[in-house]
């Protein structure tokens, strides 16, 4: 695959802010929502999760089955390249829309997990945060053999299942409240402090590189808009169009791993 000759001219030796999306994790076996070959999916919304016990039961049943596969995913070449770039002083920061924790597992430091982390659980009543590993053990004890069920794995780490009415949901051990994964659901706002920290990184960056994101939701697109307003170069690498394409200095219609990890940013 040829790389545009002007890409290195655009990036040069600038220190980069990187924004990553689901396309960075597909090589680790985690599917994305909006790739060219992705099926139409209907993710759980925040409103549905908090409104009904049935919605929470369906979410936790599917997520319990999918957890083992999600958390055994390993960082891929792109994660490792970004760690090497950080160690070489090429990055001013990294913002990820992914909740899988693979950047940190690869050794990246100070990642802004814009949409939270799937390995944490928060109580909607008392706001205590606990680990997903502990909850998984509790759910396994309450639902013996349930995790052996088979279904298609979905982007949020859950598995598509049929009837989940027999699944037993675990409450918060501290107050008995409802538990939710510590991630930003569709229809939920990104916490203000994460947004402010991300804008601060945009203000310091010399260029913005977007990897594997369709920028379909405003949570990531707003930082591309902020970079454009600053007049700094914007490079987008993604299979398929993105909402940020009109603002990009260069758009590469390509997979992240086979271009970025081997050639583009390393050059």
């Amino acid at each position: 695959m040829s790389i545009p000759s002007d890409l290195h001219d655009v990036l040069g030796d600038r220190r980069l802010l990187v924004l990553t999306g689901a396309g960075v994790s597909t090589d680790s076996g985690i599917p994305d929502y909006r790739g060219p070959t992705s099926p139409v999916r209907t993710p759980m919304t925040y409103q549905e999760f908090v409104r009904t016990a049935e919605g929470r039961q369906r979410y936790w049943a599917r997520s319990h089955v999918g957890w083992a596969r999600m958390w055994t995913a390993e960082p891929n070449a792109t994660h490792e390249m970004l760690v090497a770039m950080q160690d070489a002083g090429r990055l001013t920061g990294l913002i990820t829309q992914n909740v899988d924790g693979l950047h940190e597992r690869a050794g990246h430091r100070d990642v802004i997990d814009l949409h939270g982390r799937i390995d944490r659980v928060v109580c909607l009543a008392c706001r205590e945060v606990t680990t997903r590993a502990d909850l998984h053990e509790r759910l396994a004890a309450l639902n013996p053999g349930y995790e052996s069920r088979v279904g298609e794995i979905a982007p949020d780490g859950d598995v598509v299942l049929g009837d989940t009415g027999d699944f037993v949901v675990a409450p918060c051990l501290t107050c008995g409240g409802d538990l939710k994964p510590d991630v930003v659901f569709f229809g939920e706002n990104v916490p203000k402090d994460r947004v402010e920290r991300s804008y601060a990184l945009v203000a310091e960056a010399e260029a913005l590189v977007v990897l594997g994101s369709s920028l379909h939701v405003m949570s990531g697109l707003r930082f591309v808009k902020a970079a454009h307003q600053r007049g700094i170069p914007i490079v987008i690498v993604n299979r398929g169009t993105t909402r940020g394409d009109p603002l990009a200095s260069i758009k590469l219609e390509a997979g992240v791993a086979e271009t970025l990890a081997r050639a583009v940013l390393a050059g």
Side-chain angles (χ1 to χ4, degrees):
M1 176 181 296
S2 62
I3 303 301
S5 60
D6 57 347
L7 182 62
H8 300 301
D9 295 334
V10 169
L11 295 180
D13 59 357
R14 290 182 171 91
R15 297 185 69 222
L16 313 174
L17 170 62
V18 174
L19 170 65
T20 67
V24 164
S25 293
T26 54
D27 283 345
S28 295
I30 300 174
D32 63 0
Y33 275 109
R34 299 182 182 89
T37 61
S38 298
V40 176
R41 304 182 189 275
T42 305
M44 174 71 70
T45 66
Y46 177 74
Q47 291 74 19
E48 182 183 6
F49 187 90
V50 299
R51 185 174 62 245
T52 69
E54 292 78 13
R56 292 188 291 276
Q57 181 186 51
R58 183 170 69 256
Y59 175 85
W60 282 119
R62 292 166 50 126
S63 186
H64 178 62
V65 175
W67 170 250
R69 278 180 266 182
M70 178 78 163
W71 203 241
T72 55
E74 294 294 333
N76 61 53
T78 302
H79 300 104
E80 293 166 1
M81 172 62 71
L82 291 170
V83 172
M85 291 176 65
Q86 182 182 58
D87 292 343
R90 287 296 313 279
L91 302 186
T92 61
L94 189 148
I95 305 166
T96 185
Q97 295 173 290
N98 300 333
V99 299
D100 51 41
L102 291 178
H103 285 297
E104 288 88 347
R105 289 175 62 190
H108 213 104
R109 305 176 301 279
D110 301 323
V111 177
I112 296 180
D113 295 299
L114 196 62
H115 294 162
R117 288 281 296 267
I118 198 71
D119 61 343
R120 297 190 298 248
V121 178
V122 61
C123 175
L124 292 174
C126 71
R127 308 309 298 180
E128 181 181 41
V129 177
T130 52
T131 70
R132 178 60 184 273
D134 286 344
L135 177 61
H136 185 74
E137 291 183 2
R138 294 176 58 205
L139 291 175
L142 291 170
N143 302 274
Y146 202 96
E147 62 190 279
S148 64
R149 299 191 183 192
V150 176
E152 177 195 359
I153 190 166
D156 290 328
D158 56 346
V159 165
V160 179
L161 300 174
D163 181 26
T164 57
D166 59 342
F167 188 79
V168 180
V169 178
C172 173
L173 287 175
T174 298
C175 74
D178 295 321
L179 297 176
K180 172 184 171 292
D182 194 14
V183 301
V184 177
F185 278 17
F186 284 87
E188 187 178 7
N189 292 324
V190 177
K192 184 178 179 181
D193 67 307
R194 292 180 205 161
V195 175
E196 292 177 345
R197 287 169 56 208
S198 298
Y199 273 128
L201 289 178
V202 175
E204 298 172 357
E206 298 173 343
L208 173 66
V209 177
V210 180
L211 306 180
S213 175
S214 68
L215 300 172
H216 183 78
V217 293
M218 187 55 69
S219 64
L221 181 61
R222 57 184 151 193
F223 305 123
V224 177
K225 290 185 173 182
H228 181 68
Q229 289 175 349
R230 283 198 58 218
I232 63 175
I234 299 169
V235 173
I236 298 176
V237 182
N238 188 65
R239 289 196 186 278
T241 60
T242 84
R243 290 180 67 192
D245 288 356
L247 307 179
S249 308
I250 293 178
K251 163 65 187 300
L252 283 176
E253 182 83 17
V256 173
E258 63 263 33
T259 49
L260 272 279
R262 286 189 298 211
V264 178
L265 294 182

